[in-house]
Amino acid sequence: MEINSFIIAGALLLVSLASYAGYLGFRLYRQKVAREQADVELARELKVKESEARESVRIIARALVQNDLTETEAAMRIAWLCQQIKLSDAEAQQVSVFQQLAHATSHLPILDDWKALSKSDKRRLNRERESIESNYREFIQVSAVELTTFELR
């Protein structure tokens, strides 16, 4: 009789452990499915974000070609946007001049810092900016025309 109670207790323990293992396995499966769905959603969101960034680059390049922006402003914006885009080698070559100009003018104050400057400092820094831009202007304009056709993916 004692052997039967040990067998029953062992069987109950085994069934309990098997049930708990099944429950944990099901939770792991649900986590895996949720993670895969999150990965798919993230990939979709990144694709949308990249597409929006590409469209923004095209708009900025078009504004630059139409002389609605300075080369420096366009360069800063395009350089920042291109950090969000997976660029092909040809695209990277087109934006490299914008990144170079953005780096060359990165020391210039912007927004509130610019507003806080005196008129003489603004004139001096504008001359400096224009001098730097003149070194890049030809390359920037050619690249801007090319970027107006930036492919949307």
Side-chain angles (χ1 to χ4, degrees):
M1 191 97 169
E2 284 185 29
I3 294 178
N4 284 341
S5 54
F6 282 128
I7 292 175
I8 292 172
L12 286 174
L13 181 64
L14 187 61
V15 167
S16 297
L17 290 175
S19 297
Y20 186 62
Y23 169 74
L24 291 177
F26 180 70
R27 284 188 55 190
L28 283 173
Y29 171 76
R30 282 194 347 214
Q31 284 179 348
K32 178 184 172 195
V33 168
R35 190 173 33 253
E36 288 171 351
Q37 288 173 340
D39 288 346
V40 167
E41 179 64 20
L42 178 63
R44 187 192 65 75
E45 288 175 11
L46 289 174
K47 187 174 181 177
V48 167
K49 188 176 180 181
E50 181 175 353
S51 179
E52 290 171 350
R54 285 177 175 279
E55 180 62 19
S56 295
V57 167
R58 287 178 58 200
I59 291 168
I60 293 167
R62 196 174 314 122
L64 178 60
V65 169
Q66 296 170 351
N67 293 320
D68 292 336
L69 292 173
T70 66
E71 283 93 351
T72 297
E73 186 175 359
M76 287 180 176
R77 291 177 182 208
I78 288 173
W80 183 82
L81 285 166
C82 285
Q83 293 174 0
Q84 302 171 32
I85 300 172
K86 293 179 183 174
L87 298 170
S88 69
D89 290 340
E91 291 169 336
Q93 207 169 19
Q94 291 300 322
V95 300
S96 71
V97 69
F98 288 95
Q99 293 166 333
Q100 291 171 28
L101 177 57
H103 179 70
T105 57
S106 63
H107 66 283
L108 298 175
I110 58 172
L111 303 174
D112 291 336
D113 293 336
W114 179 262
K115 291 176 186 175
L117 295 174
S118 67
K119 286 185 180 184
S120 62
D121 285 339
K122 286 180 182 179
R123 278 193 298 270
R124 179 181 57 78
L125 289 171
N126 267 330
R127 283 191 303 271
E128 182 180 344
R129 175 188 55 81
E130 289 169 358
S131 172
I132 294 169
E133 284 177 353
S134 69
N135 295 329
Y136 291 89
R137 184 162 287 128
E138 189 176 327
F139 300 108
I140 288 283
Q141 290 299 322
V142 169
S143 290
V145 170
E146 289 293 322
L147 289 179
T148 60
T149 63
F150 213 45
E151 284 184 41
L152 296 177
R153 296 183 201 169

